[in-house]
Amino acid sequence: MLFDIVIIGASVGGLSSALELLKNGIYPIMIEQRREIGIPAQCAEYIPAHFASEVSILKNFRAQRIDRMTAKINIDNDIITYRIAAPGCIINRDKWEQFLAQKVIDKGGKIFTAERAIAIEKYDNHYRIITTKRTLEARFIIGADGPKSITAKFFKIPQQKIIYSIQWTVPLRKKLFDTMVVFDRKFKGGYGWLFPKGDIANLGVGAENLVPDMLEDVAEFFGEFIVKKTITKTGGAIPIGGLREKISDDKIFLVGDAAGTTDPITGAGIANAYDSGKIAGGIVAEALKSPSNSEHKNLRSIYDKKIRFLKRALDRTLRRRKNLLNNWNKDDEEFIDAIRRAWNFRQID
């Protein structure tokens, strides 16, 4: 059977695509390698206030509000502190994704879990998606399958530049309303974090030279705020190379981490994944609703144009990241200034 659209990956970007398709009367098939949607939530779960207001349903999945970010730069145990406004909230991402997935199913979409795509083949004027359980044929594909996307491999484009992270969920000693980050030369190109979530917090670290002991260092640094008792453990790859050189063909689209929409400095990716997924879903829906014209449209250029606002932002951030790395091992003043510029820290305590 030939399907209109198969979406590989049922996280934020894929689910956003699916819902946009369903809104236009297109019924997607989704493939998700995790056994349970939303688990594990491999991020610190922060979203900025402007995104929360755009996606109004998110208020139902808010764990707590965030007012500011407290950033500490550790120079041989001499701590420099910045505090900046960072209004937003920490969400229960797992529950949000599960809600979105149920909405997809309720509206007529299908999600196959515990199933991994292993290859994509071109076949006549459509594609074959070979999974660990079946072979599907589709007119269009949306690849929402993460930093090591099998969909991207079909394009034969180079692997993204990535760093790895590890994260624990730990109890808090007291309520916090700031996200907290720490920079240290030992975390090359990355940082440690403590993101409060009610009575618990996401404690993590990401770096180009990541080793497990680094999270112990972060836990010690934030020791006054946390109980060192791990509730859950997670981690994963984070793209830091900006938007990939190719994110679409006429009938295949990459979204979210697969497309490299993650912020190269902070590693934040929820809002961009959602937006890129929605855009790709809308383009595919329009093409499928107007089949007589879709063969003549350059859908790749349409997607590139609609996602240009993300590319411009990511290009700016990527330049700041390169400057950060160029100054990582220079003298203390240059190291501090590079962090300040990369993160746009302006107010110092």
Side-chain angles (χ1 to χ4, degrees), residues 157-168:
I157 55 178
Q159 171 66 47
Q160 298 187 85
K161 182 174 177 57
I162 58 176
I163 64 172
Y164 286 91
S165 68
I166 47 178
Q167 180 172 275
W168 297 337

Side-chain angles (χ1 to χ4, degrees), residues 192-260:
W193 63 83
L194 180 69
F195 280 31
K197 190 178 177 182
D199 295 330
I200 60 175
N202 293 320
L203 176 83
V205 62
E208 293 193 6
N209 59 334
L210 184 71
V211 294
D213 286 349
M214 287 180 180
L215 192 49
E216 295 283 355
D217 293 335
V218 176
E220 183 177 344
F221 188 86
F222 290 125
E224 66 182 290
F225 304 107
I226 68 169
V227 177
K228 197 174 176 185
K229 177 184 175 183
T230 307
I231 300 170
T232 62
K233 296 181 180 180
T234 186
I238 304 171
I240 55 167
L243 202 67
R244 300 182 86 148
E245 61 184 72
K246 185 177 181 181
I247 57 170
S248 63
D249 207 340
D250 273 351
K251 293 189 175 182
I252 301 182
F253 301 84
L254 299 177
V255 304
D257 282 0

Side-chain angles (χ1 to χ4, degrees), residues 3-233:
F3 296 101
D4 283 333
I5 171 75
V6 168
I7 301 172
I8 304 175
S11 190
V12 172
L15 293 166
S16 174
S17 294
L19 289 170
E20 190 66 18
L21 286 155
L22 287 161
K23 189 168 75 175
N24 285 276
I26 310 296
Y27 299 93
I29 303 294
M30 304 190 75
I31 304 297
E32 171 55 50
Q33 65 180 355
R34 294 174 296 178
R35 291 190 176 277
E36 190 173 354
I37 300 294
I39 296 176
Q42 294 174 298
C43 74
E45 301 180 285
Y46 169 81
I47 57 169
H50 68 84
F51 179 69
S53 64
E54 289 173 11
V55 184
S56 58
I57 193 67
L58 275 170
K59 66 179 181 294
N60 297 328
F61 301 97
R62 189 174 75 167
Q64 75 157 81
R65 81 170 195 271
I66 295 296
D67 298 328
R68 302 183 303 179
M69 171 181 281
T70 296
K72 296 180 180 290
I73 305 175
N74 185 17
I75 306 290
D76 298 325
N77 295 320
D78 183 16
I79 308 299
I80 299 168
T81 301
Y82 293 86
R83 288 190 176 89
I84 61 169
C89 63
I90 306 295
I91 62 168
N92 293 306
R93 178 173 172 172
D94 55 348
K95 292 182 174 56
W96 180 45
E97 288 191 358
Q98 289 162 9
F99 170 83
L100 295 178
Q102 190 59 54
K103 198 171 177 182
V104 168
I105 293 167
D106 291 345
K107 289 179 177 294
K110 291 184 179 179
I111 304 177
F112 298 116
T113 57
E115 186 166 343
R116 183 169 57 89
I118 56 177
I120 298 171
E121 299 172 351
K122 186 78 164 66
Y123 183 72
D124 290 340
N125 199 32
H126 59 273
Y127 302 91
R128 281 180 172 163
I129 303 96
I130 301 164
T131 80
T132 49
K133 295 183 179 180
R134 73 195 83 219
T135 296
L136 299 166
E137 297 189 358
R139 294 184 176 90
F140 288 86
I141 296 173
I142 291 177
D145 44 349
K148 298 180 181 180
S149 164
I150 189 71
T151 317
K153 287 181 182 178
F154 178 82
F155 287 145
K156 297 180 180 175
I157 55 178
Q159 171 66 47
Q160 298 187 85
K161 182 174 177 57
I162 58 176
I163 64 172
Y164 286 91
S165 68
I166 47 178
Q167 180 172 275
W168 297 337
T169 303
V170 296
L172 282 172
R173 296 183 186 277
K174 61 180 180 180
K175 189 90 168 174
L176 298 176
F177 291 98
D178 288 10
T179 56
M180 307 184 78
V181 295
V182 56
F183 300 91
D184 192 301
R185 288 189 196 274
K186 68 177 70 172
F187 311 145
K188 184 180 178 183
Y191 63 100
W193 63 83
L194 180 69
F195 280 31
K197 190 178 177 182
D199 295 330
I200 60 175
N202 293 320
L203 176 83
V205 62
E208 293 193 6
N209 59 334
L210 184 71
V211 294
D213 286 349
M214 287 180 180
L215 192 49
E216 295 283 355
D217 293 335
V218 176
E220 183 177 344
F221 188 86
F222 290 125
E224 66 182 290
F225 304 107
I226 68 169
V227 177
K228 197 174 176 185
K229 177 184 175 183
T230 307
I231 300 170
T232 62
K233 296 181 180 180

